[in-house]
Amino acid sequence: MAFRATAHLKSMAKSVFGGRPTSTSPLLQPPPEFKARLAKGDFVPVCIATGMVVVSSSLGMYTALHQLHSAPNVHLKKSRRETIPEVVEPENVAAETEKFVKKSFFRKLAHLAGLNRELPVPNPIAGDICSRPLQVQTLKDIGVEPKT
């Protein structure tokens, strides 16, 4: 039965493609005027615009996935959505936040781009976020014990 099905499939393919090999078929080759245009470089602006669209789309997709995967305020578990994690488990939220900041590609890129920037007034708060640890103030720091 299986041999009959493969023979039937081969005969259907032969009738669809006309019995010619598909890789050397003259119907599938581009017309000669297309090759002449390709040699002159008429499609360079189209290729550049397409590349720019692809790069911007991929950066947008990366940003969306980073936000959904690593953001500390996105909770997929219903039990975490019903609570306030900053109050219930502040250590885990601080660790998630630090991971989110450290893995952010665009934060690192902005940091590299702003190295040569001169500020008229020195700002100690807006320091180098990539080289110093994050400062977290929790409820335990002020003497309040969070719910367990």
Side-chain angles (χ1 to χ4, degrees):
M1 186 73 173
F3 297 114
R4 200 177 320 159
T6 56
H8 182 65
L9 185 63
K10 284 182 184 177
S11 69
M12 283 179 45
K14 190 178 254 190
S15 67
V16 168
F17 294 116
R20 288 184 243 135
T22 58
S23 62
T24 60
S25 175
L27 298 175
L28 297 179
Q29 292 181 359
E33 61 269 1
F34 181 79
K35 286 185 178 180
R37 279 186 169 173
L38 194 62
K40 285 197 302 189
D42 287 345
F43 293 108
V44 171
V46 174
C47 293
I48 290 174
T50 305
M52 292 171 108
V53 167
V54 167
V55 167
S56 64
S57 299
S58 63
L59 290 176
M61 290 286 290
Y62 174 76
T63 302
L65 289 175
H66 177 69
Q67 289 288 331
L68 290 175
H69 180 263
S70 302
N73 58 350
V74 176
H75 306 291
L76 298 178
K77 294 181 184 175
K78 191 171 185 179
S79 61
R80 286 199 67 180
R81 279 186 271 162
E82 293 172 349
T83 63
I84 301 172
E86 290 85 358
V87 175
V88 177
E89 47 191 26
E91 292 85 14
N92 291 343
V93 173
E96 287 177 1
T97 305
E98 186 171 356
K99 184 176 80 169
F100 178 71
V101 170
K102 295 291 182 186
K103 287 190 173 185
S104 177
F105 172 72
F106 290 112
R107 286 182 196 267
K108 292 177 184 176
L109 190 66
H111 169 72
L112 291 176
L115 283 178
N116 298 330
R117 186 177 55 157
E118 292 292 329
L119 296 175
V121 178
N123 188 358
I125 295 173
D128 184 8
I129 196 165
C130 295
S131 66
R132 64 178 167 89
L134 293 177
Q135 299 170 355
V136 179
Q137 292 183 356
T138 62
L139 291 174
K140 286 183 179 180
D141 294 340
I142 58 173
V144 176
E145 192 64 33
K147 291 170 101 178
T148 55

